[in-house]
Amino acid sequence: MSTPSLPALPIRRLTLRDLTDCADLSEDRGWPREEHKWGLLLTAGRAYGIDAPDGGLITACVVTEYGTPGRPDLGAIGMVLVAKRYARQGIGRRLMRHVVAEMGLTPLTLHATPYGRPLYEELGFKVTGRAEMVRGRFVLRGPEPQVATRPAGAEDLAGIIRLDAGVFGLDRTHMVTRLPAFSDHLRVVEENGRITGYAAAWPNMDTHVVGPLIARDTESAKALVASLAACTDRRLRTDIDVRHQELLSWAKECGLESVGFNDVMTYGISELPGDWTRRFAPLSVAAG
């Protein structure tokens, strides 16, 4: 039996049963396997992929939808990967065109590496922001942040969801309600009985990723990061909006080093909804 040509191979929806193949694809491209993150994305988002004739996946990506269930107001695209042996054959372009068509009139966003940006620009995405990834062993330098934080409890979930919707600009209940199980640590800032900031630290290989990081101001963001760092002996990693230069400078003073930059790109909207001044870091660059 002859092997089907690449354009004839069908694009299908991926499920949690494809987790190992997704992690294998990440590893094939030199990325960490990130099985914990893949598990979240495959259950909370809509994943697409193409099966390789010899087993595994040729390509994959995930779209996480936000807003009105069934009628999303925004789709965040992430984990766009093509196996090395199929690179530069138009597979990634074909998958992205399929996803954009599937999403119809829904606005889209993604974090683009320098390698991926030309493809996304070709498809009509525009650069609207930038995030800097920092990583390292956090050691607090200087005075303790003056804002108090505490561990989040079950009774805080409703307040976290309200805050998140106001800052993100759209409903993310289906993601936020997964955070207590997905993250190892979840902390909040509370003022006069109202939650004004929150952050999670979730495990990713040998690091803890800080995200989402939402706070009323920079001092609150610092307090949340410092309190999460005190809960772990792992290195921290986070992706900070470059407009928050004060937080970035402080994080570097505390031992986190710049790893690289991603361009925040949008399709169908000129900028992301919500209040960027209180949105310091995404849950993940793959999910927004």
Side-chain angles (χ1 to χ4, degrees):
M1 183 179 296
S2 62
T3 301
S5 65
L6 289 180
L9 293 173
I11 296 172
R12 68 171 178 90
R13 289 283 298 274
L14 304 180
T15 71
L16 196 57
R17 292 191 297 273
D18 298 294
L19 189 150
T20 298
D21 285 340
C22 289
D24 288 346
L25 185 59
S26 291
E27 197 169 51
D28 174 76
R29 291 315 306 241
W31 292 17
R33 291 184 63 83
E34 299 185 306
E35 292 182 356
H36 186 61
K37 182 170 76 174
W38 271 114
L40 173 71
L41 296 172
L42 288 169
T43 52
R46 296 168 56 187
Y48 301 85
I50 298 175
D51 294 307
D54 55 351
L57 290 168
I58 291 176
T59 184
C61 77
V62 182
V63 184
T64 308
E65 298 176 345
Y66 299 115
T68 307
R71 291 187 295 107
D73 301 294
L74 181 70
I77 299 174
M79 307 304 282
V80 182
L81 288 164
V82 178
K84 278 190 290 190
R85 65 190 187 278
Y86 293 101
R88 300 187 181 279
Q89 298 182 53
I91 298 295
R93 180 178 293 101
R94 180 186 166 206
L95 181 63
M96 282 297 300
R97 288 190 185 280
H98 176 84
V99 170
V100 170
E102 282 277 295
M103 296 301 293
L105 298 178
T106 302
L108 303 171
T109 185
L110 53 79
H111 283 68
T113 64
Y115 176 80
R117 176 175 164 176
L119 168 60
Y120 305 132
E121 288 180 325
E122 178 186 323
L123 295 173
F125 285 80
K126 307 294 184 183
V127 175
T128 57
R130 208 174 192 211
E132 182 173 1
M133 180 192 294
V134 291
R135 181 176 63 201
R137 187 72 61 184
F138 182 94
V139 179
L140 183 63
R141 308 291 185 190
E144 293 272 353
Q146 295 302 300
V147 177
T149 75
R150 62 170 175 80
E155 69 280 2
D156 296 313
L157 197 53
I160 291 173
I161 290 171
R162 282 194 298 270
L163 173 65
D164 187 87
V167 174
F168 192 77
L170 296 170
D171 179 51
R172 294 200 295 179
T173 297
H174 70 301
M175 291 296 279
V176 175
T177 52
R178 286 176 162 88
L179 285 178
F182 178 70
S183 62
D184 284 342
H185 306 285
L186 183 61
R187 299 187 68 86
V188 297
V189 174
E190 184 180 26
E191 298 179 19
N192 300 318
R194 183 171 61 92
I195 292 174
T196 59
Y198 85 97
W202 50 272
N204 190 18
M205 311 305 290
D206 62 344
T207 66
H208 266 122
V209 177
V210 175
L213 175 56
I214 284 176
R216 186 185 68 178
D217 50 36
T218 302
E219 282 304 305
S220 297
K222 290 179 181 179
L224 285 164
V225 172
S227 65
L228 288 170
C231 295
T232 179
D233 58 0
R234 297 188 187 191
R235 294 180 301 161
L236 293 188
R237 196 194 93 192
T238 190
D239 299 86
I240 299 174
D241 187 320
V242 297
R243 290 172 290 188
H244 292 294
Q245 278 299 317
E246 184 181 348
L247 181 66
L248 272 169
S249 297
W250 173 81
K252 292 173 183 176
E253 290 170 3
C254 294
L256 305 191
E257 298 179 350
S258 180
V259 176
F261 294 85
N262 285 316
D263 290 314
V264 180
M265 305 186 77
T266 58
Y267 177 94
I269 48 174
S270 59
E271 60 182 0
L272 291 174
D275 180 4
W276 75 265
T277 66
R278 293 185 289 163
R279 186 174 57 224
F280 289 83
L283 190 161
S284 160
V285 295

